[in-house]
Amino acid sequence: MTTRTLPDGRPIPHFSGDERAMLDSWLDFHRATLELKVRDLDDAQVRAAVAEPSELTLLGLVQHLAEVERNWFQRTVARLDVPPVYGAENESGYGLDPGRGLDEALDVWRREVARGRELCGGLSLEHTGRIPEGPMAGVEVSFRWVLIHLIEEYARHNGHADILRERIDGVTGA
């Protein structure tokens, strides 16, 4: 199936077809939306917590979603024993390191996306993984459930990114 794109370059999710292809296309759309939200911003702007009282930043969202990608695709679906991307002291990814800028965080996030695609590319939606820790540790989940959860996770955080971006420079939409 040919991927069509919006004028801003994001892939248009499939309107019909195979369920796996549709879920993958929606996840790709939301990943591209995250990249769009940080496009053309400098490191100071993506570090700005501009929606008080929250300390949430666009850089923190990119880092968090790198952790999300690793946790769900590598640790849960593939059942690999890998550490958090940013270490145990910043397991959520939201914490900012003065030495890490947007370019580095995006590179890390893109590597996590690529690794997840590599590990999960041939899996059926019925494949089961196991939640490794937390309040639901040991619960088995289908790959379908993980894809739906990741679409929901990105959609929610892209809503946060909309608000942050608008407060930074007035850019709205997408």
Side-chain angles (χ1 to χ4, degrees):
M1 181 173 267
T2 304
T3 301
R4 298 181 337 187
T5 59
L6 294 169
D8 59 25
R10 291 177 298 154
I12 297 172
H14 300 318
F15 295 106
S16 63
D18 174 74
E19 181 183 11
R20 169 71 191 268
M22 289 182 73
L23 291 171
D24 284 341
S25 76
W26 272 104
L27 185 53
D28 286 343
F29 170 80
H30 282 294
R31 288 169 171 154
T33 299
L34 177 69
E35 285 196 86
L36 181 65
K37 286 296 155 187
V38 299
R39 186 181 299 163
D40 300 324
L41 295 177
D42 62 33
D43 285 340
Q45 289 171 309
V46 296
R47 290 173 171 283
V50 293
E52 294 178 0
S54 174
E55 295 181 9
L56 187 64
T57 67
L58 286 171
L59 181 56
L61 281 175
V62 171
Q63 293 176 169
H64 171 68
L65 288 163
E67 292 289 0
V68 165
E69 291 274 349
R70 176 172 285 192
N71 186 57
W72 288 104
F73 293 124
Q74 293 183 51
R75 298 179 76 218
T76 300
V77 174
R79 299 184 186 205
L80 298 177
D81 184 18
V82 293
V85 176
Y86 294 106
E89 70 284 348
N90 187 17
E91 200 168 326
S92 70
Y94 288 118
L96 303 182
D97 178 329
R100 184 175 36 256
L102 179 60
D103 290 341
E104 180 183 344
L106 283 170
D107 286 346
V108 169
W109 172 74
R110 288 180 187 121
R111 279 195 305 271
E112 294 304 315
V113 169
R115 181 67 173 137
R117 284 185 174 133
E118 175 188 337
L119 291 169
C120 300
L123 296 179
S124 77
L125 294 175
E126 288 75 29
H127 171 87
T128 58
R130 186 180 313 269
I131 297 175
E133 58 189 29
M136 294 177 28
V139 172
E140 287 196 350
V141 293
S142 71
F143 183 49
R144 175 184 288 106
W145 186 94
V146 171
L147 287 173
I148 292 168
H149 175 64
L150 266 286
I151 291 165
E152 172 271 328
E153 178 101 4
Y154 270 93
R156 180 167 22 97
H157 288 314
N158 282 335
H160 299 138
D162 282 339
I163 293 166
L164 294 170
R165 180 67 191 248
E166 184 175 5
R167 294 289 305 252
I168 290 167
D169 65 359
V171 172
T172 60

